[in-house]
Amino acid sequence: MPTLRVIKTGLLGLLTLLVLLHAPLASAQAQPQAAHGGTAEAPGYAALADILENEGSRQALIDELRALQAARGGDAASEPLGVQGEVPPETIAAEAPSGQSAEQVSFARRLAEATANVASNMGNNVDALLTAVAGLTGADQVSDAGPRIDSAAVTRAAIHLAIVIVGTFVVFFVLRAVAAPIFRGLSRWCAHGSEKMAMLRTLLGVLVAAVVDLIVVALAYTAGGLIATFMIGESGTMETRFSLFLNAFLIVELVKAALRMVFAARYDSLRLMPVQADQAHYVNRFLANLAGWIGYGMLVLVPIINFNLSPALGASVGTLIMLVALLYAAVVVIRKRAVVRHALFAKAEQASGPGRLLLRLLGRTWHLLALVYALIVFGVTVINPDTALPFVALATLKTLIYAGVGMLVAVVLGQLIGKEIVLSERLNTSMPRLQTRVNLYVPTALKVIRALILILVVLLSLDAWQVYDLAAWYATEAGAHAVAVLLHILLILIVAGAIWIGLASLIEQRLSPRENTSPAAAARAETLLGLFHTTLAITIIIMTVMIVLSEIGINIGPLIAGAGVLGLAVGFGAQKLVQDVITGVFIQLENAMNTGDFVSAGGNSGTVERVGIRSVSLRDLYGTFHIIPFSSVDAVSNFTREYGNHVGEYGIGYRESIDDAIVQLEAAFEELKEGPHKDNILAPMTVAGVTALADSSVNIRVVIKTTPGNQWAVGRAYNRLVKIYFDKAGIEIPFPHTTLYFGEDRDGKAPPANIRVLGDEHRVVDTQNGDGDGKA
């Protein structure tokens, strides 16, 4: 990408010179030399007479006029002489085939005219150049009426011009050496300071350096004028050739100053183009060579030849100058095509989306585009330099200015905003998510701004090339309305984004849990944050879309009415959905459940993982995920609100002492308080007393108050300790018994037998009588 910009900047320098070509040529050819004297019109008539008297120049003029008439394809006696390379519209309309208008055939016919003009003009220029050279080398064979060259006058004029050239450049180089410390100081100043303000410092340093450079050029130009006026010419007057050189010097050096602003080969910190020093030096030298060759050739040499020798010879020399410049540019482009391609590919790797594809495509085809562009510039120079060439040059200059300004604005915005925005500690404390949200949206906004800048650059560039008239379109009612609507939409989107950031941050400030907030309150805050964010986002999006549609010109009244009717129909058809939403809103307002709570709702129990506006999601003990619509929730049982209780009932045998059992229960609780669950116990254990005299046990109830959600873990740990302490104290925990009844005689003397198995012998023993019946 940097090298591609280098090539474009080179073409900018080349075409800037050609834009200003027309005015110096006209002024140089219109003003008479002081040595000739006479009126302003006399040199024109004398030059025409000289052309007609010289056989070679007269024949060249006749051939050129016939070639123009042949290219027009009309009758010389009946059609007026048009501008070179142009055909009157009425002629095109007359020659158009039947049934076709002039507009339908204008492109093909103009293309044919341009092709014919290129060939004829090139041939005429070559013939004129050969004729003029032959006339110069064989002046003794020319008739007495032909022009003769005064060698002494030519030598004297050349020496005077050389003195002015040398004097001007000596002053220029001396002033550049004097200004060098200023440039070095500006470069050091730009290299130090905040990275975020680097581009602004660079722009300021480049502007100051440009002012110094312009002052140097202006002083050298003034010194050259003084030398030409007071040291060589007559006091107070300046000959035309000196004016031509000084004007060319001013234009060329201004172009070179612009190149130094962009590349700054000697001062890295004053370089606007992000390229290495060696690359900047190479490109600056290439473009400066082109500017000097074309500038001094077209602005000095060609006018002097036109005025003193022959306009045909001047045109030939101008074509030769542009041909050499074309070949030089083509050689450089071909040699550097791989370097630029690799740079564009490297830039594409850093991009994404359409930009990456565009950079890779440009990397493969940039040299072809550059060569085609150079050929077009050369072609319009040959066909019609007075009109087409200034248009191409001016359009190119505007395009490069638009692209450069757009690029600078994008870079400055990127550096000012930075990669990350850091807010104050106080603001981060009150709105903890504001910095994250801003850093999320600002890069997106920057991408949108860059896209808008790119669109604007494209539109202005198309207007510069007269693809359409942007000013005329904007002057129309439709154009002004479209621009106003676009600005209003951008403003609406900016306001909507600011409202979203402000309200979302305010909600977070109100609901975000503080450091000393309980887990339950923090869970409820997270749940409400999600609910309010969703509601706020939907509301802002709907309102923004409605306002944007209204700005576009769509009547949103019927849309709102239709939405109301549709909402009513959907409401009747989706009563369950409406019920879900309404019930969910009231459940949230009543703080019935929050994320992380263990609840029982809709016939399922589990931990709440998500609370939406329509349903709640539970994860049960087995890991099953349940989605329960709020309309099916008749009641919510929350087991993790404020505190929990472990309610335990422990049965003892009827022959055991209740008081001893309570002592053991309290001893087990004391050990529980000293164990891992000591932080989960909120109050002393409550012994509710005997709750039941059951069939086989006496039940004693105890209650342990715990932190919410830990009642089950505390209960499991306490049950373990109760079993251990009851075993140590020999307190029986009843379990089911089976009694075998063997019957009795009529006298009732046979007692029931208690049977037990002894050891491995499997003996059945009567524990009441103490005897056994042997092996079982």
Side-chain angles (χ1 to χ4, degrees):
M1 178 64 74
T3 311
L4 180 61
R5 295 171 183 164
V6 165
I7 300 302
K8 289 185 176 180
T9 309
L11 295 176
L12 165 63
L14 185 150
L15 293 175
T16 304
L17 295 174
L18 297 179
V19 169
L20 302 172
L21 176 62
H22 180 65
L25 290 177
S27 61
Q29 293 178 3
Q31 295 177 357
Q33 294 185 359
H36 286 232
T39 62
E41 297 178 355
Y45 294 142
L48 180 59
D50 293 339
I51 292 174
L52 295 177
E53 289 176 352
N54 185 283
E55 182 179 357
S57 60
R58 182 174 66 252
Q59 186 61 38
L61 177 61
I62 294 173
D63 293 339
E64 184 175 0
L65 293 176
R66 288 178 176 174
L68 290 175
Q69 186 60 37
R72 295 176 57 190
D75 185 7
S78 58
E79 295 185 3
L81 181 62
V83 180
Q84 180 181 355
E86 295 183 355
V87 181
E90 59 272 13
T91 305
I92 298 176
E95 296 178 357
S98 58
Q100 295 185 359
S101 62
E103 290 78 4
Q104 293 173 323
V105 297
S106 61
F107 176 75
R109 197 169 287 276
R110 289 182 181 275
L111 183 61
E113 293 289 340
T115 306
N117 285 339
V118 169
S120 61
N121 289 344
M122 287 291 291
N124 291 336
N125 290 337
V126 172
D127 293 341
L129 179 61
L130 295 177
T131 303
V133 171
L136 292 175
T137 57
D140 53 342
Q141 299 177 3
V142 180
S143 62
D144 295 337
R148 294 182 180 274
I149 298 177
D150 188 349
S151 302
V154 170
T155 303
R156 184 172 60 255
I159 293 175
H160 291 172
L161 182 60
I163 293 174
V164 174
I165 293 174
V166 172
T168 303
F169 277 106
V170 167
V171 175
F172 176 70
F173 289 130
V174 170
L175 292 176
R176 287 282 300 173
V178 172
I182 301 177
F183 297 144
R184 288 194 294 268
L186 290 173
S187 180
R188 288 193 299 268
W189 177 76
C190 293
H192 298 83
S194 173
E195 183 179 356
K196 182 172 286 190
M197 305 296 292
M199 181 55 68
L200 290 180
R201 285 199 315 276
T202 302
L203 288 177
L204 183 58
V206 168
L207 289 177
V208 176
V211 171
V212 175
D213 218 346
L214 293 178
I215 292 174
V216 169
V217 173
L219 291 178
Y221 174 82
T222 304
L226 294 177
I227 294 173
T229 303
F230 295 101
M231 293 182 62
I232 297 177
E234 297 180 3
S235 179
T237 62
M238 183 185 299
E239 297 183 7
T240 304
R241 60 181 179 276
F242 301 149
S243 298
L244 290 175
F245 163 72
L246 291 175
N247 291 338
F249 171 81
L250 181 62
I251 295 172
V252 171
E253 294 306 324
L254 287 179
V255 172
K256 291 183 179 180
L259 294 177
R260 288 191 290 270
M261 287 177 58
V262 177
F263 297 102
R266 298 181 180 178
Y267 311 103
D268 294 343
S269 299
L270 296 178
R271 187 180 306 129
L272 293 178
M273 190 68 66
V275 295
Q276 299 297 327
D278 53 347
Q279 296 177 353
H281 181 73
Y282 180 85
V283 175
N284 186 77
R285 184 177 69 251
F286 162 67
L287 297 178
N289 291 339
L290 274 180
W293 172 257
I294 297 176
Y296 291 115
M298 300 297 290
L299 299 180
V300 179
L301 181 60
V302 171
I304 290 177
I305 293 176
N306 287 338
F307 188 80
N308 293 281
L309 296 177
S310 169
L313 180 60
S316 302
V317 173
T319 302
L320 181 62
I321 291 173
M322 293 303 298
L323 181 60
V324 172
L326 171 64
L327 295 177
Y328 178 46
V331 170
V332 172
V333 169
I334 294 174
R335 287 180 57 188
K336 295 298 180 180
R337 66 183 185 277
V339 176
V340 179
R341 180 172 65 249
H342 294 327
L344 290 174
F345 283 174
K347 191 71 174 178
E349 294 299 327
Q350 303 175 1
S352 59
R356 182 175 184 177
L357 180 61
L358 181 61
L359 287 174
R360 293 190 64 86
L361 179 62
L362 189 60
R364 295 184 180 278
T365 60
W366 78 270
H367 59 288
L368 299 178
L369 298 176
L371 292 176
V372 170
Y373 180 81
L375 288 173
I376 291 176
V377 174
F378 176 76
V380 297
T381 304
V382 175
I383 296 174
N384 196 353
D386 292 336
T387 57
L389 184 60
F391 165 74
V392 172
L394 187 59
T396 304
L397 177 61
K398 289 181 179 179
T399 302
L400 294 177
I401 291 176
Y402 296 149
V405 172
M407 187 188 310
L408 286 177
V409 171
V411 172
V412 169
L413 286 177
Q415 289 193 352
L416 287 178
I417 295 175
K419 296 182 179 179
E420 183 178 1
I421 296 177
V422 180
L423 302 179
S424 64
E425 187 66 26
R426 177 175 173 273
L427 198 58
N428 283 329
T429 303
S430 59
M431 300 180 182
R433 301 185 184 180
L434 179 59
Q435 180 172 320
T436 303
R437 182 174 288 109
V438 170
N439 287 318
L440 177 64
Y441 294 145
V442 166
T444 304
L446 187 60
K447 290 181 181 178
V448 173
I449 293 175
R450 287 175 176 171
L452 293 177
I453 291 175
L454 177 61
I455 293 173
L456 182 60
V457 168
V458 171
L459 292 178
L460 292 176
S461 301
L462 293 177
D463 176 71
W465 290 94
Q466 294 186 3
V467 176
Y468 66 93
D469 193 342
L470 184 61
W473 174 78
Y474 179 73
T476 62
E477 183 178 356
H481 178 70
V483 173
V485 168
L486 179 60
L487 294 178
H488 290 168
I489 291 176
L490 291 177
L491 182 61
I492 291 169
L493 294 178
I494 293 173
V495 172
I499 291 175
W500 161 250
I501 293 177
L503 292 181
S505 302
L506 182 62
I507 292 173
E508 291 170 358
Q509 181 186 13
R510 298 293 184 183
L511 297 179
S512 293
R514 303 298 187 265
E515 294 181 357
N516 56 351
T517 304
S518 63
R524 180 172 183 269
E526 291 294 332
T527 302
L528 293 178
L529 275 175
L531 180 62
F532 284 138
H533 278 172
T534 302
T535 305
L536 179 63
I538 293 174
T539 303
I540 291 178
I541 289 174
I542 292 176
M543 293 181 63
T544 303
V545 169
M546 289 295 182
I547 297 175
V548 169
L549 291 177
S550 177
E551 284 294 329
I552 293 176
I554 298 176
N555 186 7
I556 63 173
L559 185 62
I560 296 176
V565 174
L566 181 62
L568 185 62
V570 171
F572 281 114
Q575 297 182 23
K576 205 69 172 178
L577 177 62
V578 176
Q579 184 181 356
D580 290 340
V581 174
I582 295 176
T583 305
V585 170
F586 282 103
I587 286 177
Q588 291 304 310
L589 292 177
E590 294 174 359
N591 194 21
M593 67 179 76
N594 295 305
T595 303
D597 291 351
F598 189 89
V599 300
S600 177
N604 295 279
S605 298
T607 303
V608 178
E609 291 194 355
R610 183 189 63 84
V611 179
I613 195 173
R614 190 195 69 85
S615 63
V616 59
S617 301
L618 304 180
R619 180 83 64 177
D620 65 14
L621 183 62
Y622 300 98
T624 306
F625 187 74
H626 304 276
I627 298 178
I628 304 171
F630 283 124
S631 60
S632 63
V633 177
D634 296 329
V636 177
S637 300
N638 196 324
F639 297 92
T640 54
R641 184 58 53 85
E642 297 180 1
Y643 65 90
N645 283 331
H646 166 64
V647 180
E649 290 194 0
Y650 302 95
I652 61 175
Y654 272 92
R655 64 174 175 265
E656 305 293 343
S657 172
I658 295 175
D659 294 335
D660 292 343
I662 292 176
V663 170
Q664 297 303 320
L665 290 173
E666 290 177 346
F669 178 73
E670 292 300 323
E671 182 176 347
L672 179 67
K673 290 194 303 181
E674 301 301 327
H677 295 282
K678 61 181 180 179
D679 295 332
N680 296 328
I681 299 173
L682 300 179
M685 183 181 68
T686 301
V687 180
V690 178
T691 58
L693 298 175
D695 294 338
S696 60
S697 64
V698 177
N699 296 334
I700 303 173
R701 177 179 294 173
V702 299
V703 179
I704 302 175
K705 187 176 183 179
T706 68
T707 54
N710 292 310
Q711 58 265 39
W712 299 286
V714 171
R716 291 188 294 270
Y718 185 67
N719 290 338
R720 172 181 173 275
L721 294 175
V722 168
K723 176 65 170 60
I724 294 173
Y725 274 82
F726 276 9
D727 289 345
K728 289 181 179 180
I731 297 175
E732 179 188 5
I733 299 176
F735 56 90
H737 291 72
T738 301
T739 301
L740 298 179
Y741 178 68
F742 293 95
E744 58 185 17
D745 57 12
R746 292 182 179 181
D747 296 334
K749 295 181 178 179
N754 295 323
I755 307 299
R756 64 180 180 177
V757 178
L758 299 177
D760 297 335
E761 297 179 355
H762 302 289
R763 297 172 60 87
V764 180
V765 179
D766 186 349
T767 58
Q768 183 174 356
N769 299 322
D771 57 353
D773 57 354
K775 293 184 178 181

